[in-house]
Amino acid sequence: MGCDVERAAHVYRNALIDEGNTSGLTVAATDSALVAATRAELATGRWLNAATELYPATVLGTKAAERLGAHSPASQVWIAGQNFTVVGILQHAPLAPELDTMVLVGEDVARERLGFDGSPTTIFGAFHRRNCHRCARAYPRDREPESTK
């Protein structure tokens, strides 16, 4: 799963960058299921885990890392007025290219530090081809619970 965090949670290279220079990046709350759903792979570092999800840590998409000048784990970025430590950088994600410009943080940290309310705005899913007919019937209900389709 991947979820946009409050739009006020912008990310910068450091605290000295002008607030208007957001670099077109999205801060998003996530969990470990995102890797499997998108088949995303790390270029360097590690994915968020039970320990790092509790602290101000982030995994950057490949373009996000470029724009923020974060070339390796242990770099720091400035999110919503706080330093976050980069623990991993993703390779280009062909199945979910929007991940390239995302700055991913654990859901608990997003709630506690960034005002995330737990409501997903983006959901990534992986479906096996032989189950597509069942997914097609269920997906609209999951995406729009008010839908009767």
Side-chain angles (χ1 to χ4, degrees):
M1 173 170 61
C3 310
D4 292 349
V5 174
E6 294 290 320
R7 293 289 180 213
H10 294 297
V11 59
Y12 306 94
R13 184 177 296 203
N14 58 49
L16 302 175
I17 303 299
D18 181 82
E19 289 184 11
N21 186 9
T22 63
S23 298
L25 302 175
T26 302
V27 178
T30 192
D31 61 24
S32 59
L34 181 68
V35 175
T38 62
R39 296 187 185 154
E41 294 188 21
L42 289 161
T44 186
R46 60 183 42 178
W47 185 250
L48 297 167
N49 58 40
T52 58
E53 285 180 359
L54 302 174
Y55 297 98
T58 183
V59 172
L60 305 176
T62 186
K63 289 181 183 176
E66 277 177 32
R67 293 178 191 173
L68 293 167
H71 304 293
S72 63
S75 300
Q76 299 239 311
V77 296
W78 188 253
I79 303 174
Q82 310 164 66
N83 278 316
F84 276 65
T85 301
V86 175
V87 296
I89 299 171
L90 295 173
Q91 293 179 8
H92 169 65
L95 295 180
E98 55 270 62
L99 291 179
D100 291 350
T101 57
M102 285 190 172
V103 176
L104 303 164
V105 298
E107 288 183 82
D108 290 337
V109 167
R111 280 188 184 92
E112 293 170 15
R113 295 176 177 252
L114 305 176
F116 177 55
D117 68 5
S119 299
T121 56
T122 304
I123 298 173
F124 295 93
F127 306 106
H128 193 278
R129 177 173 245 137
R130 71 173 174 246
N131 294 326
C132 283
H133 64 284
R134 283 189 281 179
C135 298
R137 286 194 308 264
Y139 185 65
R141 287 191 309 270
D142 292 343
R143 191 177 69 193
E144 298 180 45
E146 298 83 26
S147 173
T148 57
K149 295 180 183 179

